[in-house]
Amino acid sequence: MRLLIMGPPGVGKGTMAAYIKKTYNISHISTGELYREAIARMNSLGALAKGYLDRGELVPDAVTVDLVKETLKKSEYKEGFLLDGFPRTIPQAQALDDILEEKQWKIDVVLNLTADDETIIERITGRRICSNCGALYHTTNIKPAVDDICDNCGAALFQRLDDNRETVARRLKIYREQTEPLLEYYRRRGLLRDVDAEGTVADNIKEVEKALGGFNDND
Ligand code: AMP
């Protein structure tokens, strides 16, 4: 199964991606996560990307396309993947088409998570992440048992630098201008499935299941 998960920043793509990964035993690729790892490792990709991430701007298409192309060469993605945070622009979507065509792969479903701006801002500013295993939490919606400590591995939780009000506004604007037009690109091809992600995590999982109806990991 080859899936894309789309939607504005903070809508809950990461949380739903973690659910899909576990339930469908599918490899998850998050371009944002790949950039954050590169920044933490202080390698050349990280040095290039850091300013863009800090400002909430998109890393140039050529860099991101290259990153995805290299990542998809790994054997773990041969059987399928869930791509989260890519594509984010029309040129990225066209580049993805070329990469997939070369491999004779096709996308099965594009999930489009939606929620209103107020929900998104509340989710994004309350988001916390485990510094060790990457598990996602929220200060009110997905609270860990002990404040600021990961339930899974006991490591400290942190807040992303770009998860503040000002940067969120910029990220939402960029999403509306550059990423939203992609929805039409995939809708026209009959791949888009809308997911109402306004509810609780449990509600949203049900919506994702509905949208994925008919697909399983043998497809
Ligand atoms: P995310 O974790 O998906 O919210 O991504 C965090 C940040 O990583 C974004 O604000 C961008 O700076 C960068 N990024 C992630 N994916 C892409 C992409 N497909 N194109 C350009 N920049 C990206």
Side-chain angles (χ1 to χ4, degrees):
M1 183 159 69
R2 296 185 185 94
L3 301 178
L4 306 186
I5 188 161
M6 297 188 58
V11 74
K13 295 189 294 291
T15 304
M16 291 304 114
Y19 167 80
I20 294 167
K21 175 183 174 180
K22 198 165 143 206
T23 309
Y24 293 85
N25 193 23
I26 185 171
S27 301
H28 174 214
I29 305 170
S30 153
T31 43
E33 198 50 49
L34 292 174
Y35 280 130
R36 282 186 290 279
E37 276 168 23
I39 291 168
R41 289 205 190 104
M42 298 197 283
N43 62 22
S44 54
L45 178 68
L48 191 157
K50 189 175 181 338
Y52 294 101
L53 271 85
D54 287 351
R55 293 189 298 271
E57 293 169 6
L58 296 184
V59 180
D61 285 342
V63 178
T64 309
V65 166
D66 239 34
L67 175 66
V68 170
K69 196 170 185 177
E70 285 309 305
T71 304
L72 284 176
K73 284 182 183 162
K74 295 185 182 167
S75 59
E76 62 200 277
Y77 303 117
K78 245 178 153 162
E79 300 305 320
F81 53 79
L82 167 63
L83 201 41
D84 162 6
F86 182 92
R88 261 174 152 102
T89 65
I90 295 276
Q92 289 183 13
Q94 288 164 340
L96 179 63
D97 284 344
D98 294 343
I99 295 169
L100 297 181
E101 195 183 320
E102 208 173 285
K103 294 179 179 292
Q104 295 188 309
W105 290 351
K106 64 176 186 55
I107 297 165
D108 295 301
V109 172
V110 179
L111 294 173
N112 173 37
L113 272 54
T114 59
D116 65 37
D117 281 8
E118 236 160 73
T119 305
I120 286 167
I121 290 167
E122 195 268 326
R123 280 186 190 160
I124 230 170
T125 50
R127 172 158 65 185
R128 298 291 182 272
I129 306 173
C130 173
S131 53
N132 176 49
C133 71
L136 292 168
Y137 295 88
H138 186 277
T139 46
T140 50
N141 305 339
I142 319 172
K143 276 165 83 91
V146 179
D147 276 356
D148 298 321
I149 299 293
C150 178
D151 291 345
N152 300 334
C153 71
L157 306 186
F158 73 99
Q159 183 174 25
R160 276 171 51 173
L161 270 178
D162 56 346
D163 280 352
N164 60 68
R165 272 181 182 273
E166 303 81 76
T167 313
V168 171
R170 181 173 313 136
R171 287 159 67 198
L172 267 173
K173 185 168 182 285
I174 292 173
Y175 173 79
R176 302 275 180 240
E177 289 172 0
Q178 301 201 44
T179 309
E180 230 168 34
L182 277 182
L183 301 178
E184 201 43 43
Y185 184 85
Y186 289 117
R187 202 184 295 281
R188 273 204 310 267
R189 288 157 62 174
L191 294 173
L192 201 77
R193 300 199 184 177
D194 292 313
V195 175
D196 175 358
E198 190 63 49
T200 63
V201 172
D203 293 337
N204 298 346
I205 284 174
K206 279 192 205 135
E207 294 296 319
V208 163
E209 284 295 353
K210 251 197 266 168
L212 286 179
F215 281 90
N216 62 47
D217 41 359
N218 297 320
D219 278 321

